[in-house]
Amino acid sequence: MLTLYCAPGSSSMAPHIALHEIGVPFDLRPLSFARRQNREPDYLAVNPEGKVPTLVIDGRPLTEVAAILFYLARRHPRAGLLPVGDLEAEARAVSWMSFLAATVHPARRQGLAQARIAYGLADRRLGDADWAIGPYSIADIHLFRLFWRFRNSLQPAAGEFPNLSRHHDRMLARNAVRKTLEVEAAIGYELPA
């Protein structure tokens, strides 16, 4: 059994989308940052860092977005979220995931100017491709969640990131993304600062 601890709108949105993409049953456990549920002893016993996401796999916790997305894609290859049998394509997915985690995600905390630089790099890296590595993958899910948050909170000018905006719109057309956004909106967004 899979259990996803999440905080709607946070980084846990990416594994939430992936779970809808692969179509397996899972238990969703939303946490409220405002009520500090991520600091309660029961949750700290699952994830001592008190962060989300945490995916519990048959009682064993797995943390960090990239690791959870990689696990889900490899565990459920029929979903097509990671190339099978193509080492270079798999490495490109890992490259995107590393770039997103190490460069794009932390840039927002460094201020608007640094965030614009990081998203500009992501926009150029994506180019006119439909998907990050060619076929749709976990890299697209991670990229979408980060740009969705940036776009909604910092409101870049129209046309500032044309490739990311097209990618964002393609992602919004996916059933798994729409379902995740609906579920998380119904729970309510309480994003951390």
Side-chain angles (χ1 to χ4, degrees):
M1 178 63 177
L2 298 174
T3 300
L4 178 65
Y5 286 88
C6 71
S10 73
S11 294
S12 59
M13 179 187 282
H16 192 181
I17 292 169
L19 285 162
H20 286 296
E21 288 282 4
I22 63 176
V24 298
F26 64 96
D27 183 25
L28 189 65
R29 301 272 178 92
L31 299 173
S32 168
F33 290 132
R35 293 193 303 264
R36 299 187 48 80
Q37 290 175 326
N38 61 314
R39 294 290 173 210
E40 292 178 357
D42 286 349
Y43 184 64
L44 291 174
V46 174
N47 182 344
E49 292 178 67
K51 299 186 331 184
V52 295
T54 299
L55 181 68
V56 178
I57 308 159
D58 297 326
R60 297 177 312 278
L62 179 63
T63 63
E64 302 300 331
V65 172
I68 294 169
L69 290 174
F70 182 79
Y71 169 82
L72 292 172
R74 290 296 296 266
R75 181 73 177 92
H76 303 278
R78 288 189 194 162
L81 297 179
L82 194 63
V84 176
D86 184 342
L87 180 60
E88 185 177 339
E90 193 171 327
R92 282 187 277 120
V94 171
S95 174
W96 261 102
M97 300 292 280
S98 297
F99 168 70
L100 293 169
T103 302
V104 177
H105 191 231
R108 193 175 162 278
R109 289 193 181 109
Q110 299 167 356
L112 180 58
Q114 192 60 38
R116 287 190 189 293
I117 290 168
Y119 282 96
L121 289 171
D123 191 74
R124 287 190 297 282
R125 185 174 181 160
L126 180 61
D128 62 1
D130 285 345
W131 305 116
I133 67 167
Y136 178 72
S137 73
I138 56 175
D140 296 296
I141 295 170
H142 197 179
L143 176 61
F144 168 78
R145 203 302 292 181
L146 290 171
F147 189 64
W148 173 87
R149 172 98 186 266
F150 171 77
R151 182 177 169 162
N152 288 338
S153 65
L154 302 176
Q155 312 239 329
E160 186 173 358
F161 304 108
N163 302 318
L164 293 176
S165 294
R166 281 193 302 276
H167 181 269
H168 178 270
D169 293 345
R170 276 190 296 281
M171 289 294 292
L172 288 176
R174 297 189 68 84
N175 289 334
V177 172
R178 286 194 313 273
K179 181 169 178 109
T180 300
L181 291 172
E182 289 169 9
V183 168
E184 293 196 6
I187 296 166
Y189 299 119
E190 293 181 352
L191 298 174

